[in-house]
Amino acid sequence: MEESKRNLLDEEAKASLDIWRYVFGFADIAAAKCAIDLKIPEANENHPSSQPVTLTELSSAVSASPSHLLRIMRFLVHQGLFKEVPTKDGLATGYTNTPLSRRMMITKRDGKSEAPLLLLETSPEMLAPWLKLSSVVSSPVLNVSTPPPFDAVHGKDLWSFAQDNPCHSELINEAMACDARRVMPRVAGACHGLFDGVATVVDVGGGTGETLGILVKEFPWIKGFNFDLPHVIEVAQVLDGVENVEGDMFDSIPACDAVIIKWVLHDWGDKDCIKILKNCKEAVPPNVGKVLIVECVIGEKKNTMVVEERDDKLEHVRLQLDMVMMVHTSTGKERTLKEWDFVLTEAGFARYEEEMSEKAKKGRSNFNGLHHPVVDFWRREVGGISSRNFSNRFSASENLVLRLEIYKKLEKHKGCVNTVSFNAEGDVLISGSDDRRVVLWDWQLGNVKLSFHSGHANNVFQAKFMPFSDDRTIVTCAADGMVRRASILEGDKVETSFLGLHQGRAHKLCIEPGNPHIFYTCGEDGLVQRFDLRTEAPTELFTCQSVDPRRRNMEAIQLNAIAIDPRNSNLFAVGGMDEYARLYDVRRFQGDGSNGFTRAADHFCPPHLIGNEEVGITGLAFSEQSELLVSYNDEFIYLFTPDMGLGSSPIPSSPISKSSVSKSESASSPKDENEHLVPLVYKGHKNSETVKGVNFFGPRSEYVVSGSDCGRIFIWRKKGGELIRVMEADRHVVNCIEPHPHIPVLASSGIESDIKVWTSKAAERATLPENIELRKRTPRGWMYRVSSPQELLAQLFSLQNRSSSSPEREGESSSATGRELLDLILTFNDQSDDENATDDEDGNSHEDFFS
Ligand SMILES: C[S@@+](CC[C@H](N)C(=O)[O-])C[C@H]1O[C@@H](n2cnc3c(N)ncnc32)[C@H](O)[C@@H]1O
């Protein structure tokens, strides 16, 4: 037989069967509704013997006539809704549930049951308008004379009808809530990061609040506002973290950081839809606000007029839903991407992003999706970029900086916390403390994931995860001069080992970006070492020396800070006890520690500080644009662009000037003719005590952050240097501020033993405090925190060595050395008065580690 003929016959055969789906199709729905009404799935599920339920047992459980029930069950078993299987003794048969019938349990609120939706759609009020479908279609234009089907039957639109009929309103609300339970956990899962930094969310047309209830549980920092018509709000749930607000979305929507609008826009035609979207847009802050739309997208037609083979069997459901809109709403419709584009553009949204649910995505490739995520789409005001980039763009918002407030205080350490940093993913925070312990935190929950002794004999100054080590390799440096490695083994067992040593304290380490093996350390001995975890011993790169040729090889510059340029990991900068930040190029290292490499490739110093012996550098950071941020003690923070360098041999204008340029004089009248070469300055904080870090904040380093001796955190706009935020953090000095790698979250620590995690959750935007002048505090002496007699001795020896190995220093600045010595002793006395015993959890005292 010819192929075309055979096809025709096949089609005929199929049609002769399919026709009955239409003739008696309603029987499927009605029988399912009957099962729900009688609670047959519940009777099967709750049968005490966990045996198949016999007909007699079932009829008694649901109070139904056995003969009718038998026919209903025969039909539903044939439909695959229930199974009929032999009882254990094999003497009879009984019924059991299937996954499908479990989705029809009206008493279940598990996110799977669709029974309330089925009951709504099969209610007489919703069924009657279906019979009027043809009248809408035959009418060329929707106008007063041909009202939409629902209005034609009930004399008013659905929402007015619901307002006047509380029982029907309850059916709608229950149906919507059951859908929210199914969809929202998926939306929340896919929105990872989307709500970071979002303090307030309004759910427009939120029904009785189920959607927001799920969101605020998932993202507990959110304050939710459930916004709906008064008759819905009257019966809305009272939920923690959710406020119910009545109103009309066509008038206005309460101001918030983000709007969610789920299954609402499809109820309305384009004109109304654009009006609602405009109101959503107005409710959120310009440029950074988010509008999250949860709706389905109908597949586009191809030229052949065949619906694009888009993804999955759900396309049928989407098209059914479009029919529902035609019957039950006045102007509502499901939209294709093009149609969504139209309403979004008309509403003034410049950018948006479409996101498929994971299941819908999978369905695209394997066509077996029996799942029912009709909702597979949401859009964001800021779009066209990946989720991570999206959150990054978001984190740059000044609005978020102004809403930063303490989200969690992490309490476990028993001494000052000298270092905090995040892992690459950003879900774990690592800290190190004077108590010599390292703690890994689930900072979102505020829980300790792991706490272990670093193996250091003194205050841990830095602890960082090595990249691509699955967060199992940690490197540390400390006041004992040691550099150590901690390996997290199976069962969270930790092994620590010695890697290298500095004479005097080892303040900082920096890791080559993306390299799981290589990092650098610097210490008060002026030494910079390169560690490669694949080799046994570190490489001593060089000892930092004075820029003055007469002093070279005589006096090491104590180093406090080291940072790698993220754009060129060959370049790193160091800073310490003089005025110059030095930039080195590791490629110039020749292996013998001589000539080329020991000289820095470039030097940076604000002109007015050149020759100033009083200042030193405590913190360094590179921006994403290779700018270098330098924090000076007893002075300010400066931002150097790469072209501001003084070269490899900056020669002080005169013999090292003791009569340095006075700060105020130079700050107000920089001596640079090239105005653009003067580094930007950030002022207001105080950096006299401790070795204070400095950092950038924001995905493109839009902000500069620093702690202060007054216990506050200062945030400046990088561009222009304007101070925009001063946050109360600690009672004492704040040393360390670390930004989260992806989202607008900060961690801070200092002299107190807790860590503060800051998120943008404040309801109000903060303003600058009236009086930013610093509180007077008794200085403890710059950079001296001496917590044991042993450390005091070590510091004294170090000081003595530095002086004796530097006759010039002795000659020129013996008074400075004497002052350092006095500071040191006074500081120790001061601290030993109020210092608690810092025995760690293992019961080890400091002495144990010295022995
Ligand atoms: C299809 S339901 C969606 C409910 C909920 N968003 C969900 O998906 O579970 C539409 C909601 O929009 C609400 N609504 C209708 N007109 C409104 C208006 N003018 N202002 C605010 N809400 C409205 C209805 O009361 C209803 O709760």
Side-chain angles (χ1 to χ4, degrees):
M1 207 187 315
E2 253 177 67
E3 194 177 338
S4 61
K5 257 192 191 157
R6 207 168 35 238
N7 286 347
L8 211 60
L9 281 180
D10 286 352
E11 275 183 34
E12 276 296 334
K14 187 170 176 297
S16 68
L17 284 177
D18 283 352
I19 183 66
W20 300 112
R21 284 204 290 134
Y22 297 92
V23 175
F24 298 126
F26 188 70
D28 297 3
I29 300 167
K33 175 174 160 57
C34 170
I36 295 173
D37 286 342
L38 293 179
K39 298 202 179 73
I40 296 174
E42 277 88 346
N44 286 346
E45 200 75 357
N46 304 331
H47 188 54
S49 72
S50 72
Q51 279 246 51
V53 188
T54 63
L55 180 67
T56 320
E57 290 168 332
L58 189 60
S59 62
S60 122
V62 302
S63 310
S65 111
S67 59
H68 284 103
L69 188 61
L70 172 68
R71 289 160 60 197
I72 294 275
M73 292 308 285
R74 183 174 61 193
F75 180 75
L76 291 175
V77 167
H78 186 265
Q79 289 283 91
L81 206 72
F82 298 109
K83 277 188 190 151
E84 187 171 7
V85 293
T87 51
K88 271 189 191 149
D89 58 12
L91 299 176
T93 60
Y95 304 106
T96 59
N97 274 339
T98 65
L100 184 56
S101 62
R102 287 198 188 92
R103 281 170 165 73
M104 296 189 188
M105 294 172 78
I106 189 72
T107 51
K108 270 245 154 116
R109 298 169 64 88
D110 60 353
K112 279 189 174 172
S113 172
E114 297 285 353
L117 197 51
L118 199 151
L119 289 187
L120 169 69
E121 295 302 332
T122 54
S123 66
E125 293 83 355
M126 297 308 244
L127 285 179
W130 282 101
L131 307 178
K132 299 256 176 200
L133 184 56
S134 55
S135 64
V136 189
V137 181
S138 62
S139 145
V141 184
L142 280 180
N143 55 38
V144 186
S145 56
T146 52
F150 191 94
D151 305 35
V153 171
H154 298 291
K156 51 186 90 162
D157 74 4
L158 176 62
W159 309 116
S160 313
F161 182 81
Q163 184 183 337
D164 298 341
N165 293 275
C167 289
H168 193 66
S169 183
E170 194 183 333
L171 268 186
I172 297 176
N173 293 340
E174 281 298 306
M176 294 306 116
C178 99
D179 190 67
R181 284 193 290 273
R182 180 181 64 80
V183 170
M184 285 317 293
R186 292 180 205 176
V187 172
C191 283
H192 209 70
L194 190 72
F195 289 107
D196 293 331
V198 170
T200 51
V201 176
V202 171
D203 185 7
V204 176
T208 51
E210 200 75 19
T211 293
L212 274 181
I214 293 165
L215 273 190
V216 298
K217 256 197 200 138
E218 193 68 28
F219 308 106
W221 58 89
I222 289 177
K223 166 89 189 189
F225 295 90
N226 182 47
F227 181 74
D228 210 300
L229 294 168
H231 71 275
V232 179
I233 292 304
E234 206 181 306
V235 295
Q237 304 174 73
V238 176
L239 296 168
D240 280 348
V242 179
E243 198 174 306
N244 292 306
V245 181
E246 60 178 50
D248 186 333
M249 64 193 171
F250 288 101
D251 293 342
S252 70
I253 292 165
C256 54
D257 292 331
V259 157
I260 182 166
I261 182 161
K262 171 181 166 293
W263 263 19
V264 171
L265 294 171
H266 70 169
D267 295 333
W268 304 94
D270 287 354
K271 201 166 147 238
D272 290 328
C273 197
I274 291 165
K275 171 75 182 145
I276 300 166
L277 281 169
K278 278 186 175 165
N279 285 350
C280 292
K281 194 167 183 290
E282 224 147 74
V284 299
N287 300 322
V288 293
K290 301 177 186 188
V291 177
L292 186 73
I293 301 171
V294 186
E295 292 281 2
C296 71
V297 182
I298 300 281
E300 306 282 347
K301 277 182 182 176
K302 284 184 178 162
N303 289 342
T304 55
M305 296 302 284
V306 176
V307 172
E308 185 186 347
E309 188 198 316
R310 184 169 160 237
D311 46 4
D312 50 80
K313 291 177 178 169
L314 289 177
E315 189 65 9
H316 180 59
V317 184
R318 295 186 191 102
L319 293 170
Q320 284 178 321
L321 199 59
D322 188 42
M323 294 298 102
V324 175
M325 292 304 119
M326 202 184 275
V327 170
H328 289 156
T329 69
S330 306
T331 53
K333 60 177 182 181
E334 299 305 331
R335 292 177 167 86
T336 63
L337 201 51
K338 244 187 224 157
E339 290 169 320
W340 279 116
D341 186 73
F342 171 73
V343 289
L344 284 163
T345 309
E346 285 295 304
F349 287 82
R351 295 181 298 271
Y352 60 82
E353 188 179 349
E354 181 197 8
E355 192 83 49
M356 303 291 294
S357 71
E358 281 308 308
K359 283 203 169 183
K361 276 182 207 156
K362 275 186 205 147
R364 281 196 159 163
S365 52
N366 67 16
F367 209 72
N368 67 355
L370 275 178
H371 40 266
H372 179 201
V374 174
V375 177
D376 64 359
F377 167 69
W378 57 93
R379 288 172 181 236
R380 301 164 182 168
E381 181 182 359
V382 184
I385 43 179
S386 73
S387 301
R388 178 149 292 178
N389 281 342
F390 178 78
S391 60
N392 281 348
R393 289 178 73 106
F394 197 65
S395 63
S397 150
E398 192 158 315
N399 176 41
L400 292 178
V401 174
L402 298 181
R403 290 178 192 273
L404 281 170
E405 71 176 14
I406 293 174
Y407 163 65
K408 282 255 153 56
K409 289 185 183 178
L410 308 178
E411 292 169 11
K412 173 77 177 171
H413 283 296
K414 292 183 181 149
C416 310
V417 182
N418 306 307
T419 173
V420 286
S421 67
F422 291 91
N423 64 345
E425 273 299 298
D427 56 336
V428 181
L429 185 77
I430 183 169
S431 60
S433 155
D434 285 4
D435 65 10
R436 294 166 290 153
R437 298 191 74 83
V438 171
V439 176
L440 273 51
W441 306 86
D442 179 332
W443 61 269
Q444 290 178 70
L445 296 176
N447 292 344
V448 173
K449 283 170 75 77
L450 187 65
S451 164
F452 61 90
H453 197 290
S454 61
H456 284 285
N458 216 323
N459 313 357
V460 175
F461 282 162
Q462 269 216 304
K464 287 194 174 205
F465 290 111
M466 290 303 288
F468 302 111
S469 68
D470 197 23
D471 299 338
R472 290 186 175 273
T473 304
I474 291 160
V475 286
T476 55
C477 62
D480 58 4
M482 275 199 274
V483 180
R484 297 182 69 86
R485 167 196 187 136
S487 304
I488 303 175
L489 312 174
E490 284 305 307
D492 283 349
K493 191 170 172 303
V494 181
E495 270 177 10
T496 69
S497 55
F498 172 86
L499 293 177
L501 188 66
H502 284 270
Q503 301 303 319
R505 296 183 279 194
H507 278 291
K508 287 281 187 294
L509 59 83
C510 65
I511 295 169
E512 191 172 305
N515 191 322
H517 311 293
I518 294 173
F519 69 99
Y520 299 82
T521 60
C522 69
E524 287 180 348
D525 50 4
L527 183 64
V528 173
Q529 303 191 70
R530 181 177 189 267
F531 289 78
D532 184 335
L533 293 176
R534 293 163 297 191
T535 59
E536 292 263 300
T539 307
E540 295 192 355
L541 292 185
F542 62 92
T543 298
C544 189
Q545 293 158 349
S546 169
V547 294
D548 183 350
R550 293 167 305 157
R551 286 185 172 181
R552 251 172 235 155
N553 300 318
M554 302 181 89
E555 184 184 353
I557 302 292
Q558 294 183 55
L559 293 178
N560 301 318
I562 183 164
I564 290 196
D565 183 342
R567 288 214 306 195
N568 180 353
S569 55
N570 292 310
L571 302 178
F572 63 87
V574 297
M577 298 286 264
D578 74 1
E579 69 272 39
Y580 292 102
R582 294 158 167 84
L583 184 76
Y584 291 88
D585 187 334
V586 78
R587 289 168 296 193
R588 289 169 64 180
F589 175 57
Q590 292 170 2
D592 57 0
S594 65
N595 53 45
F597 186 73
T598 52
R599 183 175 298 167
D602 213 343
H603 292 76
F604 296 87
C605 182
H608 70 281
L609 290 184
I610 293 176
N612 186 334
E613 286 185 4
E614 303 294 316
V615 294
I617 292 168
T618 64
L620 290 174
F622 273 106
S623 72
E624 290 296 323
Q625 298 84 30
S626 296
E627 300 149 316
L628 182 62
L629 200 56
V630 184
S631 181
Y632 284 88
N633 77 294
D634 259 337
E635 237 269 349
F636 309 127
I637 297 167
Y638 295 91
L639 180 75
F640 296 93
T641 52
D643 56 352
M644 288 179 183
L646 303 169
S648 58
S649 318
I651 309 292
S653 44
S654 55
I656 296 173
S657 153
K658 281 193 233 161
S659 55
S660 57
V661 187
S662 96
K663 277 178 222 161
S664 54
E665 196 185 285
S666 62
S668 56
S669 53
K671 301 282 185 302
D672 204 318
E673 308 101 298
N674 308 317
E675 279 296 307
H676 65 282
L677 287 184
V678 175
L680 265 167
V681 58
Y682 306 91
K683 300 177 181 179
H685 68 304
K686 181 121 175 108
N687 181 8
S688 296
E689 304 179 34
T690 73
V691 181
K692 213 165 274 82
V694 67
N695 234 319
F696 290 99
F697 183 45
R700 289 187 192 81
S701 312
E702 291 90 342
Y703 305 97
V704 169
V705 287
S706 171
S708 174
D709 293 345
C710 59
R712 295 184 289 185
I713 293 173
F714 285 66
I715 306 181
W716 299 264
R717 229 177 264 137
K718 184 185 83 178
K719 211 171 162 187
E722 189 188 337
L723 181 66
I724 56 164
R725 198 68 216 270
V726 175
M727 311 192 293
E728 296 288 341
D730 286 13
R731 276 174 295 127
H732 302 293
V733 184
V734 178
N735 290 330
C736 184
I737 305 179
E738 275 290 317
H740 189 280
H742 314 300
I743 53 171
V745 170
L746 285 174
S748 69
S749 70
I751 300 297
E752 285 177 22
S753 61
D754 66 358
I755 298 157
K756 272 101 186 170
V757 179
W758 305 75
T759 61
S760 299
K761 68 182 178 64
E764 301 282 317
R765 291 171 217 201
T767 51
L768 281 178
E770 291 239 318
N771 196 354
I772 301 177
E773 286 108 68
L774 292 164
R775 295 155 213 177
K776 292 273 177 288
R777 289 174 37 78
T778 326
R780 286 165 173 235
W782 183 51
M783 297 203 305
Y784 287 123
R785 289 215 324 275
V786 188
S787 55
S788 70
Q790 288 85 347
E791 202 193 341
L792 175 66
L793 277 178
Q795 291 302 322
L796 287 172
F797 280 128
S798 156
L799 194 59
Q800 192 185 23
N801 283 342
R802 289 200 311 269
S803 306
S804 57
S805 67
S806 170
E808 217 160 327
R809 179 184 168 124
E810 226 174 293
E812 284 186 20
S813 42
S814 58
S815 64
T817 310
R819 205 171 49 243
E820 269 186 66
L821 187 63
L822 189 63
D823 258 357
L824 188 59
I825 294 166
L826 288 176
T827 302
F828 175 69
N829 276 339
D830 182 26
Q831 289 178 358
S832 54
D833 282 349
D834 56 24
E835 202 114 284
N836 294 329
T838 53
D839 282 3
D840 59 59
E841 285 172 2
D842 306 333
N844 297 319
S845 67
H846 286 177
E847 284 73 11
D848 295 336
F849 286 88
F850 277 99
S851 57

